[in-house]
Short mmCIF file of all heavy atoms in Angstrom, two decimals:
data_model
loop_
_atom_site.label_atom_id
_atom_site.label_comp_id
_atom_site.label_asym_id
_atom_site.label_seq_id
_atom_site.Cartn_x
_atom_site.Cartn_y
_atom_site.Cartn_z
N LEU A 1 -7.69 21.56 17.69
CA LEU A 1 -8.77 20.74 17.13
C LEU A 1 -8.75 20.78 15.61
O LEU A 1 -8.91 19.76 14.94
CB LEU A 1 -10.12 21.23 17.68
CG LEU A 1 -11.35 20.44 17.24
CD1 LEU A 1 -11.27 18.99 17.72
CD2 LEU A 1 -12.61 21.09 17.76
N ALA A 2 -8.54 21.98 15.05
CA ALA A 2 -8.49 22.11 13.59
C ALA A 2 -7.31 21.33 13.03
O ALA A 2 -7.44 20.65 11.99
CB ALA A 2 -8.39 23.59 13.22
N LEU A 3 -6.13 21.41 13.68
CA LEU A 3 -4.95 20.66 13.22
C LEU A 3 -5.19 19.16 13.32
O LEU A 3 -4.84 18.40 12.40
CB LEU A 3 -3.72 21.06 14.04
CG LEU A 3 -3.16 22.46 13.79
CD1 LEU A 3 -2.08 22.79 14.81
CD2 LEU A 3 -2.60 22.55 12.37
N GLU A 4 -5.80 18.73 14.42
CA GLU A 4 -6.08 17.29 14.60
C GLU A 4 -7.08 16.81 13.57
O GLU A 4 -6.93 15.73 13.00
CB GLU A 4 -6.59 17.05 16.03
CG GLU A 4 -6.82 15.60 16.36
CD GLU A 4 -5.55 14.76 16.33
OE1 GLU A 4 -4.43 15.29 16.39
OE2 GLU A 4 -5.68 13.52 16.23
N SER A 5 -8.09 17.65 13.29
CA SER A 5 -9.09 17.27 12.26
C SER A 5 -8.43 17.16 10.90
O SER A 5 -8.71 16.22 10.14
CB SER A 5 -10.21 18.31 12.21
OG SER A 5 -10.94 18.30 13.41
N ALA A 6 -7.55 18.10 10.57
CA ALA A 6 -6.85 18.07 9.29
C ALA A 6 -5.96 16.83 9.21
O ALA A 6 -5.91 16.16 8.17
CB ALA A 6 -6.01 19.33 9.12
N ARG A 7 -5.26 16.51 10.30
CA ARG A 7 -4.42 15.32 10.33
C ARG A 7 -5.24 14.05 10.13
O ARG A 7 -4.87 13.16 9.36
CB ARG A 7 -3.67 15.26 11.66
CG ARG A 7 -2.57 14.20 11.69
CD ARG A 7 -1.99 14.02 13.06
NE ARG A 7 -2.93 13.49 14.04
CZ ARG A 7 -3.35 12.23 14.08
NH1 ARG A 7 -2.94 11.36 13.18
NH2 ARG A 7 -4.19 11.83 14.99
N LEU A 8 -6.40 13.98 10.79
CA LEU A 8 -7.27 12.80 10.65
C LEU A 8 -7.81 12.68 9.22
O LEU A 8 -7.90 11.58 8.67
CB LEU A 8 -8.43 12.85 11.65
CG LEU A 8 -8.04 12.58 13.11
CD1 LEU A 8 -9.22 12.83 14.03
CD2 LEU A 8 -7.54 11.15 13.27
N ARG A 9 -8.20 13.81 8.61
CA ARG A 9 -8.69 13.77 7.22
C ARG A 9 -7.59 13.27 6.27
O ARG A 9 -7.84 12.49 5.37
CB ARG A 9 -9.18 15.17 6.79
CG ARG A 9 -10.56 15.52 7.28
CD ARG A 9 -11.13 16.75 6.58
NE ARG A 9 -10.28 17.92 6.70
CZ ARG A 9 -10.33 18.78 7.72
NH1 ARG A 9 -11.17 18.59 8.70
NH2 ARG A 9 -9.52 19.82 7.75
N GLU A 10 -6.37 13.77 6.52
CA GLU A 10 -5.24 13.36 5.68
C GLU A 10 -4.97 11.86 5.86
O GLU A 10 -4.75 11.14 4.87
CB GLU A 10 -4.01 14.18 6.06
CG GLU A 10 -2.83 13.98 5.14
CD GLU A 10 -1.65 14.84 5.54
OE1 GLU A 10 -1.86 16.04 5.82
OE2 GLU A 10 -0.53 14.30 5.59
N ALA A 11 -4.98 11.38 7.09
CA ALA A 11 -4.75 9.95 7.36
C ALA A 11 -5.84 9.12 6.73
O ALA A 11 -5.59 8.05 6.16
CB ALA A 11 -4.67 9.70 8.87
N ASN A 12 -7.08 9.60 6.81
CA ASN A 12 -8.21 8.89 6.23
C ASN A 12 -8.08 8.83 4.70
O ASN A 12 -8.34 7.80 4.07
CB ASN A 12 -9.52 9.58 6.64
CG ASN A 12 -10.73 8.75 6.30
OD1 ASN A 12 -10.66 7.53 6.24
ND2 ASN A 12 -11.85 9.41 6.07
N ALA A 13 -7.65 9.93 4.11
CA ALA A 13 -7.47 9.97 2.65
C ALA A 13 -6.37 8.99 2.23
O ALA A 13 -6.51 8.28 1.23
CB ALA A 13 -7.14 11.39 2.20
N ARG A 14 -5.26 8.93 2.99
CA ARG A 14 -4.18 7.98 2.69
C ARG A 14 -4.68 6.54 2.79
O ARG A 14 -4.35 5.70 1.97
CB ARG A 14 -3.01 8.19 3.66
CG ARG A 14 -2.01 9.16 3.15
CD ARG A 14 -0.70 9.11 3.95
NE ARG A 14 -0.38 10.46 4.32
CZ ARG A 14 -0.27 10.95 5.53
NH1 ARG A 14 -0.41 10.16 6.56
NH2 ARG A 14 0.00 12.20 5.74
N GLN A 15 -5.46 6.28 3.84
CA GLN A 15 -5.99 4.94 4.05
C GLN A 15 -6.88 4.54 2.88
O GLN A 15 -6.80 3.40 2.40
CB GLN A 15 -6.80 4.91 5.37
CG GLN A 15 -7.31 3.56 5.75
CD GLN A 15 -6.19 2.61 6.12
OE1 GLN A 15 -5.12 3.01 6.56
NE2 GLN A 15 -6.42 1.33 5.91
N GLN A 16 -7.70 5.45 2.42
CA GLN A 16 -8.58 5.15 1.28
C GLN A 16 -7.76 4.90 0.01
O GLN A 16 -8.10 4.04 -0.80
CB GLN A 16 -9.58 6.30 1.06
CG GLN A 16 -10.67 6.35 2.11
CD GLN A 16 -11.61 7.52 1.92
OE1 GLN A 16 -11.39 8.36 1.05
NE2 GLN A 16 -12.66 7.55 2.72
N MET A 17 -6.67 5.66 -0.15
CA MET A 17 -5.82 5.45 -1.32
C MET A 17 -5.16 4.07 -1.26
O MET A 17 -5.07 3.37 -2.27
CB MET A 17 -4.76 6.55 -1.42
CG MET A 17 -5.33 7.85 -1.93
SD MET A 17 -4.22 9.28 -2.01
CE MET A 17 -2.64 8.66 -2.28
N LEU A 18 -4.69 3.66 -0.07
CA LEU A 18 -4.08 2.33 0.06
C LEU A 18 -5.08 1.23 -0.22
O LEU A 18 -4.76 0.24 -0.89
CB LEU A 18 -3.51 2.16 1.48
CG LEU A 18 -2.23 2.92 1.79
CD1 LEU A 18 -1.87 2.79 3.27
CD2 LEU A 18 -1.09 2.39 0.93
N VAL A 19 -6.28 1.39 0.29
CA VAL A 19 -7.32 0.39 0.05
C VAL A 19 -7.62 0.32 -1.45
O VAL A 19 -7.75 -0.76 -2.04
CB VAL A 19 -8.59 0.71 0.86
CG1 VAL A 19 -9.79 -0.11 0.39
CG2 VAL A 19 -8.34 0.51 2.34
N ALA A 20 -7.69 1.49 -2.06
CA ALA A 20 -8.01 1.54 -3.50
C ALA A 20 -6.89 0.88 -4.30
O ALA A 20 -7.16 0.19 -5.30
CB ALA A 20 -8.20 2.99 -3.94
N GLU A 21 -5.61 1.04 -3.91
CA GLU A 21 -4.51 0.43 -4.64
C GLU A 21 -4.49 -1.08 -4.50
O GLU A 21 -4.06 -1.80 -5.39
CB GLU A 21 -3.18 1.00 -4.13
CG GLU A 21 -2.89 2.40 -4.59
CD GLU A 21 -1.61 2.96 -3.99
OE1 GLU A 21 -0.90 2.23 -3.29
OE2 GLU A 21 -1.35 4.15 -4.21
N LYS A 22 -4.95 -1.59 -3.38
CA LYS A 22 -4.92 -3.03 -3.14
C LYS A 22 -6.10 -3.77 -3.77
O LYS A 22 -6.08 -4.99 -3.84
CB LYS A 22 -4.91 -3.30 -1.63
CG LYS A 22 -3.59 -2.89 -1.00
CD LYS A 22 -3.57 -3.22 0.46
CE LYS A 22 -2.24 -2.83 1.05
NZ LYS A 22 -2.14 -3.07 2.45
N GLN A 23 -7.10 -3.03 -4.18
CA GLN A 23 -8.25 -3.70 -4.80
C GLN A 23 -7.83 -4.29 -6.15
O GLN A 23 -7.05 -3.69 -6.88
CB GLN A 23 -9.38 -2.70 -5.04
CG GLN A 23 -10.13 -2.33 -3.80
CD GLN A 23 -11.25 -1.34 -4.12
OE1 GLN A 23 -11.26 -0.73 -5.18
NE2 GLN A 23 -12.17 -1.21 -3.19
N PRO A 24 -8.30 -5.49 -6.47
CA PRO A 24 -7.98 -6.05 -7.79
C PRO A 24 -8.52 -5.16 -8.91
O PRO A 24 -9.52 -4.49 -8.76
CB PRO A 24 -8.69 -7.40 -7.80
CG PRO A 24 -9.10 -7.65 -6.38
CD PRO A 24 -9.11 -6.36 -5.67
N ARG A 25 -7.79 -5.23 -10.02
CA ARG A 25 -8.17 -4.38 -11.14
C ARG A 25 -9.57 -4.68 -11.63
O ARG A 25 -10.29 -3.78 -12.04
CB ARG A 25 -7.19 -4.58 -12.30
CG ARG A 25 -5.87 -3.94 -12.03
CD ARG A 25 -4.98 -4.11 -13.26
NE ARG A 25 -3.65 -3.66 -12.99
CZ ARG A 25 -3.26 -2.44 -13.21
NH1 ARG A 25 -4.06 -1.59 -13.74
NH2 ARG A 25 -2.04 -2.07 -12.92
N TRP A 26 -9.90 -5.95 -11.62
CA TRP A 26 -11.21 -6.32 -12.18
C TRP A 26 -12.35 -5.72 -11.36
O TRP A 26 -13.43 -5.46 -11.87
CB TRP A 26 -11.35 -7.83 -12.29
CG TRP A 26 -11.28 -8.58 -10.98
CD1 TRP A 26 -10.21 -9.09 -10.39
CD2 TRP A 26 -12.38 -8.86 -10.13
NE1 TRP A 26 -10.51 -9.70 -9.23
CE2 TRP A 26 -11.89 -9.56 -9.03
CE3 TRP A 26 -13.77 -8.60 -10.19
CZ2 TRP A 26 -12.69 -9.99 -8.00
CZ3 TRP A 26 -14.54 -9.06 -9.15
CH2 TRP A 26 -14.00 -9.73 -8.07
#
């Protein structure tokens, strides 16, 4: 459960970074 939670947090953090990179600069 701890490993799965860590994996999900990491995936969530990557997803947020991708969303943040795709947002227009303005």
Side-chain angles (χ1 to χ4, degrees):
L1 183 62
L3 289 172
E4 184 63 19
S5 294
R7 191 188 65 73
L8 287 173
R9 280 193 303 274
E10 188 178 314
N12 191 27
R14 269 194 230 118
Q15 185 68 26
Q16 287 178 355
M17 283 176 30
L18 286 173
V19 167
E21 286 176 5
K22 290 183 179 178
Q23 284 180 344
R25 287 183 187 269
W26 62 269

